[in-house]
Amino acid sequence: MMAVMQVHTIDLRFRNRARAIASFLVEGPDGFILIETGPESCRETLLRELASRQIKPEEIAAVFVTHIHLDHAGSAGWWAGQGVPVHVHPKGAKHLVDPERLEASARQVYGEQFDELWGAMVPAPEECIVAVANDELIEVAGLQLRTLETPGHCFHHHAYQLDDVIFAGDAAGAKIDHSDFISVTSAPPQFHLEHTLSSIGHLSARGPKSLYLTHFGEVENPGPHLNSYRDAVELNALFVQQRLAEGMDAEALRVAYEAFQMEQAFRAQIPSEVWSTLQEINGTAMCADGIRLYWEKLTDHRA
């Protein structure tokens, strides 16, 4: 028998932007779980939203993060420090217990902006970090939640399925408004084309009736969305491959990829503020680098 649940999408108002990063509060028959913590810089926003629903942090039965990138799991250590079990992919667990390397790498990328963007990560008590395997069924708060191995955006990515609802993290792209434009989440250094396409197929095969994206919110037509996302991934990967074949360097490729994305966004008639938000959370320069590195690694491997 299907458990009764209710999903509340919480807008973390990243950098005071609407619909950039979501956390999902799931209300089950016996309590609450949280899917995605968001960054440490948004923790107070999340806590205020929970307080407005009369929910204290210690009343959250469990936290689930799709992967350990800072926009998804930056405050996971704080939640674990409250005694809340944090479920994560086995390859990501050690980085929540000891985030020094993860944070140092991010600080190199973001420099002086790091603290404003993400806030410093808090090491998680090891006993509160739960490494969960693929296709594992977890019972909590009267709910049955299944892990879905979905690499491609990174190697340590899970989606989570509750009944006929899937929380996709970054495995199904970023879609901020109701247009046809889906931003391909291809951040370096672990983007992998074949794994991404396989994960899209895996999500499609589960036949969800509803799909939740961390960037941002509910997609009510998962089948067409996943088909469109597959097309977008293939199209953008081919574009980068062709530019590299023409001898384009990394900087020129970033410019060309941004122009290519802007053309697609213009055709989809997305508002300028939506484009700006997408650039904030899934910037075209970063995504171009991710796809470029994939093709370059593939070429080096075949050489």
Side-chain angles (χ1 to χ4, degrees), residues 63 76-77 79-87 97 124-131:
V63 166
W79 282 94
Q82 311 310 300
V84 180
V86 175
H87 297 71
V97 174
E126 189 170 5
E127 65 272 17
C128 287
I129 297 299
V130 184

Side-chain angles (χ1 to χ4, degrees), residues 168-177 179-183 185 200 203-204 208 210-213 215-233:
D170 279 343
K175 184 179 174 71
I176 301 297
D177 66 352
S179 76
D180 294 331
F181 183 72
I182 308 173
S183 183
T185 46
I200 294 169
L203 294 176
S204 294
S210 191
L211 189 71
Y212 283 87
L213 309 179
H215 315 293
F216 179 95
E218 184 179 11
V219 175
E220 296 178 346
N221 54 344
H225 172 90
L226 290 167
N227 290 337
S228 295
Y229 187 54
R230 180 187 296 108
D231 291 344
V233 170

Side-chain angles (χ1 to χ4, degrees), residues 151-171:
H153 175 70
C154 59
F155 298 142
H156 58 277
H157 194 291
H158 277 149
Y160 296 104
Q161 183 164 9
L162 277 165
D163 297 329
D164 54 8
V165 174
I166 290 179
F167 299 87
D170 279 343

Side-chain angles (χ1 to χ4, degrees), residues 193 232-244 260 291 295:
L193 176 58
V233 170
E234 292 177 334
L235 176 66
N236 294 340
L238 178 61
F239 175 84
V240 173
Q241 184 186 38
Q242 290 174 337
R243 301 294 80 74
L244 290 172
F260 187 57
I291 301 174
W295 287 121

Side-chain angles (χ1 to χ4, degrees), residues 297-303:
K297 290 175 185 176
L298 193 64
T299 300
D300 291 344
H301 178 72
R302 290 174 177 174

Side-chain angles (χ1 to χ4, degrees), residues 54-244:
Q54 288 77 52
I55 300 170
K56 299 176 181 178
E58 59 269 24
E59 293 177 311
I60 300 295
V63 166
F64 297 83
V65 294
T66 58
H67 59 299
I68 62 168
H69 290 172
L70 299 181
D71 51 337
H72 296 255
S75 69
W78 183 89
W79 282 94
Q82 311 310 300
V84 180
V86 175
H87 297 71
V88 63
H89 193 286
K91 292 180 180 178
K94 65 180 180 181
H95 296 290
L96 296 184
V97 174
D98 181 8
E100 183 177 354
R101 182 178 172 186
L102 177 64
E103 183 173 323
S105 176
R107 285 187 181 277
Q108 283 188 332
V109 173
Y110 295 102
E112 294 180 356
Q113 285 190 302
F114 177 89
D115 290 310
E116 177 191 349
L117 288 169
W118 311 116
M121 295 186 72
V122 177
E126 189 170 5
E127 65 272 17
C128 287
I129 297 299
V130 184
V132 287
N134 176 41
D135 202 35
E136 188 168 335
L137 190 63
I138 301 141
E139 297 189 10
V140 61
L143 301 166
Q144 289 189 329
L145 183 144
R146 186 174 298 278
T147 60
L148 306 176
E149 186 90 4
T150 43
H153 175 70
C154 59
F155 298 142
H156 58 277
H157 194 291
H158 277 149
Y160 296 104
Q161 183 164 9
L162 277 165
D163 297 329
D164 54 8
V165 174
I166 290 179
F167 299 87
D170 279 343
K175 184 179 174 71
I176 301 297
D177 66 352
H178 299 291
S179 76
D180 294 331
F181 183 72
I182 308 173
S183 183
V184 175
T185 46
S186 58
Q190 295 182 350
F191 172 77
H192 192 287
L193 176 58
E194 284 80 9
H195 291 170
T196 296
L197 296 175
S198 177
S199 292
I200 294 169
H202 188 189
L203 294 176
S204 294
R206 303 297 300 189
K209 291 185 179 178
S210 191
L211 189 71
Y212 283 87
L213 309 179
T214 307
H215 315 293
F216 179 95
E218 184 179 11
V219 175
E220 296 178 346
N221 54 344
H225 172 90
L226 290 167
N227 290 337
S228 295
Y229 187 54
R230 180 187 296 108
D231 291 344
V233 170
E234 292 177 334
L235 176 66
N236 294 340
L238 178 61
F239 175 84
V240 173
Q241 184 186 38
Q242 290 174 337
R243 301 294 80 74
L244 290 172

